[in-house]
Amino acid sequence: MSTTELELTVEVAAPPETIFRAMSDWERQSEWIFGTTVSVVSGDGRSVGSEIDARTFGVSDRMRITRWDPPHAVEVLHLGRVVRGTGVFAVRGSRFVWSERLDVPFFYPLVKPVFVLLLQRSLQRFARFAEEYR
């Protein structure tokens, strides 16, 4: 395993409170993250200690919320076998920022370009999702 860091941002034409609510609406993340469904598996999904499970193309990514700071940030600890590390979903003004520090398997360099492309496209979808969020 090796460690990689990743940070992607997207401008969103919505107030910070709306961006935060949209990014932390776990069950609706499938509307903007390619190939992913998310469910709350422990707690309320809106407080420290809650756990969520994101399944992306069948791979489970279980996360524990370690910081809940509306409308600024949610920090998570990835608990899975495949995905381990930390993540931050943050709102900085009119920008949504997705940061990860992950322990990745040996084959990650081979799939990184596709992974990053899918995340970039997902963030573009997120901007539209958040701008229309109700």
Side-chain angles (χ1 to χ4, degrees):
M1 288 273 191
S2 63
T3 301
T4 190
E5 294 185 28
L6 178 66
E7 181 173 291
L8 300 166
T9 65
V10 67
E11 290 289 327
V12 181
E17 295 79 10
T18 301
I19 298 169
F20 185 89
R21 282 194 324 271
M23 78 177 191
S24 61
D25 189 343
W26 309 121
E27 288 82 9
R28 292 188 63 194
Q29 282 191 354
S30 64
E31 295 179 40
W32 58 274
I33 302 176
F34 285 101
T36 299
T37 57
V38 181
S39 58
V40 175
V41 294
S42 174
D44 61 5
R46 305 274 182 264
S47 57
V48 171
S50 293
E51 294 186 7
I52 57 176
D53 184 55
R55 291 195 171 271
T56 303
F57 301 113
V59 176
S60 174
D61 177 11
R62 189 159 178 152
M63 294 168 264
R64 180 177 301 126
I65 297 172
T66 57
R67 178 175 170 227
W68 182 265
D69 182 20
H72 308 291
V74 175
E75 294 180 14
V76 298
L77 176 65
H78 295 276
L79 304 169
R81 289 185 198 172
V82 176
V83 183
R84 299 193 63 81
T86 58
V88 179
F89 307 102
V91 180
R92 296 186 188 136
S94 62
R95 290 183 335 199
F96 171 51
V97 182
W98 181 336
S99 305
E100 300 280 359
R101 181 177 171 87
L102 301 172
D103 297 328
V104 294
F106 70 92
F107 58 82
Y108 178 73
L110 298 173
V111 299
K112 182 179 179 180
V114 173
F115 178 68
V116 171
L117 178 65
L118 287 176
L119 284 180
Q120 288 171 331
R121 294 267 169 89
S122 292
L123 288 185
Q124 292 167 355
R125 287 173 55 164
F126 173 77
R128 290 187 300 277
F129 174 80
E131 289 163 3
E132 298 171 0
Y133 188 77
R134 303 283 177 257

